[in-house]
Amino acid sequence: MAGPGGGPPRRSHTKSRKGCESCKRRHIRCDESFPQCRNCTKHKVRCPYNDITQPDERSCSPDKPDLMWTPQIEEEINQWKVTGVFPFPHIYPAPTPCDLTLDQLRLIHHVASISEQIESLNANGFTLWTRRIPIIIQIGATYDYVLHALLAFSATHLAHLTDCPLVGNMAYEHRGIALNRLQEAIGCFSRENSDAILAASLVLSWQATDWKSWTELMQGTSTIIDAMESWKHESLFGDFIAESSTFPTGPPSPTPDHQPSQPCAADMDSYQRTLKQLQKLEHHLKQSHESPKPITQLIAFMKGSRKIVLTQPLHQQFERLRALRTWLFWLPVDMLQQSSCSPNSLVVIAHYYTAALLMERLFPDIGAAYFGSLTVKPIEEIHQRLSSSERGQTSLSFMDHPLSTVYEFRSRMGWAHPVDTPAFHQYTAPPFYMNDGSPAMVPAASPEYFYGDSVSFSYSTEDLSVPNSAVSPLQLSSPFPHSGNQQYLNIPSPYGAYSPVSSVYGDFGDAGHSDFEDSGNWTVPYSAASPVMGPASHRYSVGFVSSPIQSTWA
């Protein structure tokens, strides 16, 4: 039947009775997004969907990928196709819907809706990636390789949520397209497409599943930033360029005589403090009748990381520790959506970021793979949120250790520290001492870091499990030619033989190694007058973490 004026027929009205109870009470339409509908996210309340089992009505079959469709999402995408107006009008320009398949429209909608939900909570500063999604979508409207990189990233997240192997295969296919077309774009690098090449390299690096691919992507990203030096102030990624210290610290293919850089005693002290802090937080969550599972799995990861032998090839270390990368990307988003930024959830997220900073110290050659430098601002912003919220005061004491870790990291990097404001009233430098009593970057033992036997902790099993993933087992391969020191764009890496996150200025020759013991005692294998390290008074390099020793994680 024709509509008014002879136009297209009117759509029949569909009504769902499966909206959440909060939306029903408000008499508003629920988008039925699990586990947190958009209306509840907007009003910053816990959605009743969190308390029920997710329905099995999403269309999923052996030959159809599970993209977590809901009636609300389907309606929004249909309107997008008909009107050409992106469901998120603050993102402009957006990709043209007529050029994309229905599944591709869903993938774009997925990441855009997450970004909007987190923004409605004023929490985009608490994640590694959501705040960059609008800019990436805008660039993707013009450059297809950026769009395919984003489609792959969205599919990777959906695969993480659904365990659907078909969605994982979609991610793999879009990555391959993005890599091939990025290779072509690199051949005609210019001022005009530099942001697009940087965006694609960045999004693809988020998805790297093996050490070699990640190092080549990040080394390529560093060369792009270097090439943009004269116009970087015009870049849409100016903030990322300013805070980028996420580049690899070791070669993707070390020579046979490469001696791995390993943590020193001060790094292991930091490890012990972090583990004790996590155990205290785990106890607090149990006492608060909240699920300690996120912290329990992080404790298990931390304990399992002690078993990694640091003489192993870098790609094996990267693989053993890959679970942390997965958590850093997805866990904060999931927790923010489910908890609406509850104080305890923010503290848990901050401790995951603290673990990322610690990994950069414990595994200097691959530490930058954990995006430690990108976790500094989220930790500080979480502290500011808790400081300014009355309901956050109880959890605020648990931010002391993350802040002290950030302080150490800023000091090692030579970064400026935040200006003292009411929001940073607890942001003070802990005491630092060297073994000989002179100032250094080693926090002294104090009650705020070491908890006695008066507190009962629940220790987790010491395994190093990797979360289940439906992503294709085929690993991300790099399109970039890597011959000798050749980088794409043929620009040398901005970092030489030293790491931006440690004091590793080279190899340590024939230095021995020591084994980690549960007592936390470490044996320093070099003497006070080591020919490698120099006199004892100069063992610590200015602006970087103290020099590493050769040791193994027993």
Side-chain angles (χ1 to χ4, degrees), residues 63 141 167 179 190 213 222 234 300 313 396 421 447 508:
D63 54 357
V167 183
L179 284 163
S190 67
S213 298
S222 72
E234 303 173 359
L396 196 57
T421 65
F508 285 84

Side-chain angles (χ1 to χ4, degrees), residues 89-103:
H90 65 286
I91 301 177
Y92 182 85
T96 305
C98 62
D99 297 334
L100 304 171
T101 68
L102 195 60
D103 286 348

Side-chain angles (χ1 to χ4, degrees), residues 181-237:
R181 296 183 182 176
L182 175 60
Q183 175 74 51
E184 297 172 2
I186 289 169
C188 54
F189 175 83
S190 67
R191 188 175 191 147
E192 288 69 31
N193 69 0
S194 58
D195 266 355
I197 292 176
L198 180 57
S201 299
L202 177 63
V203 178
L204 288 170
S205 73
W206 293 347
Q207 305 168 63
T209 57
D210 67 280
W211 167 250
K212 187 175 186 294
S213 298
W214 181 80
T215 54
E216 291 182 349
L217 280 164
M218 292 309 295
Q219 286 170 348
T221 301
S222 72
T223 65
I224 293 172
I225 292 175
D226 212 31
M228 294 171 63
E229 179 64 30
S230 61
W231 68 82
K232 66 181 181 182
H233 59 282
E234 303 173 359
S235 173
L236 295 173
F237 295 93

Side-chain angles (χ1 to χ4, degrees), residues 90-386:
H90 65 286
I91 301 177
Y92 182 85
T96 305
C98 62
D99 297 334
L100 304 171
T101 68
L102 195 60
D103 286 348
Q104 291 171 349
L105 296 178
R106 168 62 183 131
L107 293 176
I108 297 170
H109 184 283
H110 177 66
V111 291
S113 64
I114 291 175
S115 179
E116 184 190 63
Q117 286 181 343
I118 302 302
E119 176 61 31
S120 69
L121 295 169
N122 194 26
N124 266 333
F126 305 159
T127 76
L128 299 183
W129 58 273
T130 57
R131 64 189 167 120
R132 306 195 189 280
I133 292 303
I135 293 176
I136 293 171
I137 292 177
Q138 292 167 8
I139 298 175
T142 304
Y143 296 91
D144 61 350
Y145 51 90
V146 176
L147 185 63
H148 281 285
L150 185 64
L151 292 172
F153 183 71
S154 179
T156 300
H157 185 220
L158 283 168
H160 166 76
L161 294 175
T162 64
D163 288 331
C164 177
L166 294 179
V167 183
N169 289 335
M170 290 173 63
Y172 179 76
E173 292 172 3
H174 285 297
R175 275 199 298 270
I177 296 173
L179 284 163
N180 288 332
R181 296 183 182 176
L182 175 60
Q183 175 74 51
E184 297 172 2
I186 289 169
C188 54
F189 175 83
S190 67
R191 188 175 191 147
E192 288 69 31
N193 69 0
S194 58
D195 266 355
I197 292 176
L198 180 57
S201 299
L202 177 63
V203 178
L204 288 170
S205 73
W206 293 347
Q207 305 168 63
T209 57
D210 67 280
W211 167 250
K212 187 175 186 294
S213 298
W214 181 80
T215 54
E216 291 182 349
L217 280 164
M218 292 309 295
Q219 286 170 348
T221 301
S222 72
T223 65
I224 293 172
I225 292 175
D226 212 31
M228 294 171 63
E229 179 64 30
S230 61
W231 68 82
K232 66 181 181 182
H233 59 282
E234 303 173 359
S235 173
L236 295 173
F237 295 93
D239 59 336
F240 169 75
I241 293 173
E243 64 192 30
S244 288
S245 298
T246 62
F247 304 115
T249 59
S253 301
T255 58
D257 59 346
H258 174 74
Q259 294 293 325
S261 306
Q262 302 186 29
C264 68
D267 300 329
M268 294 314 306
D269 287 343
S270 181
Y271 166 85
Q272 292 288 4
R273 290 193 303 275
T274 301
L275 185 59
K276 290 178 183 293
Q277 175 72 6
L278 290 174
Q279 291 163 349
K280 181 183 179 184
L281 179 56
E282 182 184 43
H283 178 74
H284 165 74
L285 293 174
K286 290 180 179 179
Q287 293 293 102
S288 303
H289 304 290
E290 295 192 30
S291 172
K293 182 178 178 181
I295 291 299
T296 301
Q297 73 177 7
L298 185 57
I299 291 174
F301 173 88
M302 295 282 291
K303 291 183 175 181
S305 67
R306 299 184 321 188
K307 300 177 181 295
I308 297 176
V309 179
L310 291 177
T311 54
Q312 285 182 327
L314 300 182
H315 68 89
Q316 292 182 13
Q317 295 181 37
F318 182 91
E319 176 62 28
R320 289 288 308 277
L321 299 168
R322 189 156 54 92
L324 181 59
R325 281 174 57 90
T326 302
W327 293 331
L328 289 174
F329 280 106
W330 309 138
L331 182 138
V333 169
D334 294 345
M335 293 194 70
L336 291 171
Q337 287 180 311
Q338 294 176 24
S339 70
S340 297
C341 291
S342 70
N344 280 341
S345 69
L346 294 182
V347 169
V348 169
I349 293 169
H351 280 76
Y352 269 84
Y353 293 148
T354 302
L357 289 173
L358 181 64
M359 288 299 108
E360 296 211 19
R361 297 183 65 170
L362 300 183
F363 298 90
D365 280 347
I366 67 168
Y370 301 99
F371 304 98
S373 64
L374 298 185
T375 68
V376 168
K377 286 189 176 180
I379 291 174
E380 292 173 341
E381 291 193 22
I382 286 173
H383 177 256
Q384 288 180 308
R385 171 70 68 88
L386 293 175

